[in-house]
Amino acid sequence: MHRRRRTALTVSAALLGAVPLLTACGGEAHPGTAAVVGGERIAVSSLQAQVKDVREAQNGSPQAEQLIQNTGRLPQAKLNSMILDRILERAAEDAGVEVSPKDLQTARKDAEKQAGGAELLKQLMLQQRGVAPGQINQALREDVLVTKLAAALGADLGTPEGQAKIVDSLAGTSKAIGVDVNPRYGAWDDRKIQLTGSKTPWITQVTEQDQAPAGA
């Protein structure tokens, strides 16, 4: 029987909340800013747009009530993901890693196959990762970047040591570029690569085995 063991890393939700207005490292206030990552601003409006897309998708689901209840701190989760995305992009750039359109197309095709089809993938991404249909490609891009970054660093994602190596790399990048978060959403922890108060680690190992039909 042929088995293919796959290990994927997903950027997961970080949860928290309370109080307004961001003050950047230089002491200058940035009204309307959710976070500043490496000198680049993440606008509250951009964060709200992502949250709105997820809520609309959840409201259209038969499990709407449960999905919404399980993501009560969605703004914090989405901001966590948006910050991580920028850190990951910088770390990958520094390591000479990039994701081509073909890489993303292959990742989408593989994800749909594993889920059992395009519609089922949309449902799974919404239920398991709080990702709206229009956000799937970006989420998959992050997964591919993590996998490629791990390869560039010689990190085996199937081991705790390999995962720790990736976390250390991203932690170093986070500290180097600087992350400042609007206290309304919490505070950023460079070492853990997540907003403080998160109930789950940012990195989740998902190991799946694809088996050929019996008798193959």
Side-chain angles (χ1 to χ4, degrees), residues 2-72:
H2 175 69
R3 291 171 180 256
R4 185 178 61 190
R5 193 170 184 272
R6 310 195 62 178
T7 301
L9 294 179
T10 65
V11 180
S12 69
L15 316 171
L16 184 66
V19 201
L21 213 66
L22 174 69
T23 300
C25 298
E28 179 185 0
H30 291 269
T33 298
V36 176
V37 184
E40 295 184 3
R41 177 175 175 266
I42 296 178
V44 171
S45 58
S46 297
L47 172 60
Q48 290 174 337
Q50 289 220 7
V51 172
K52 180 175 180 288
D53 287 345
V54 174
R55 288 297 187 220
E56 287 180 348
Q58 290 176 332
N59 281 320
S61 169
Q63 296 84 33
E65 185 176 351
Q66 182 179 356
L67 290 176
I68 293 173
Q69 183 178 356
N70 291 341
T71 53

Side-chain angles (χ1 to χ4, degrees), residues 136-174:
I136 291 177
N137 278 359
Q138 181 59 36
L140 292 176
R141 176 183 169 78
E142 291 171 351
D143 293 345
V144 176
L145 273 177
V146 171
T147 301
K148 286 197 166 191
L149 179 59
L153 297 175
D156 181 356
L157 297 180
T159 67
E161 295 78 14
Q163 294 171 23
K165 195 169 185 178
I166 288 292
V167 171
D168 288 344
S169 173
L170 294 179
T173 299
S174 176

Side-chain angles (χ1 to χ4, degrees), residues 49-127:
Q50 289 220 7
V51 172
K52 180 175 180 288
D53 287 345
V54 174
R55 288 297 187 220
E56 287 180 348
Q58 290 176 332
N59 281 320
S61 169
Q63 296 84 33
E65 185 176 351
Q66 182 179 356
L67 290 176
I68 293 173
Q69 183 178 356
N70 291 341
T71 53
R73 292 175 175 175
L74 185 59
Q76 286 73 26
K78 277 299 171 186
L79 180 58
N80 196 83
S81 181
M82 293 171 80
I83 293 171
L84 273 170
D85 176 59
R86 286 155 176 76
I87 293 172
L88 181 56
E89 289 282 356
R90 179 66 67 87
E93 181 181 346
D94 291 344
V97 170
E98 61 182 25
V99 176
S100 69
K102 184 177 180 181
D103 290 332
L104 186 55
Q105 184 180 32
T106 299
R108 181 74 183 241
K109 183 177 180 181
D110 288 346
E112 289 178 352
K113 183 177 180 181
Q114 285 187 348
E119 288 305 313
L120 285 176
L121 175 63
K122 291 177 183 178
Q123 294 175 31
L124 287 174
M125 292 293 276
L126 183 64
Q127 294 168 4

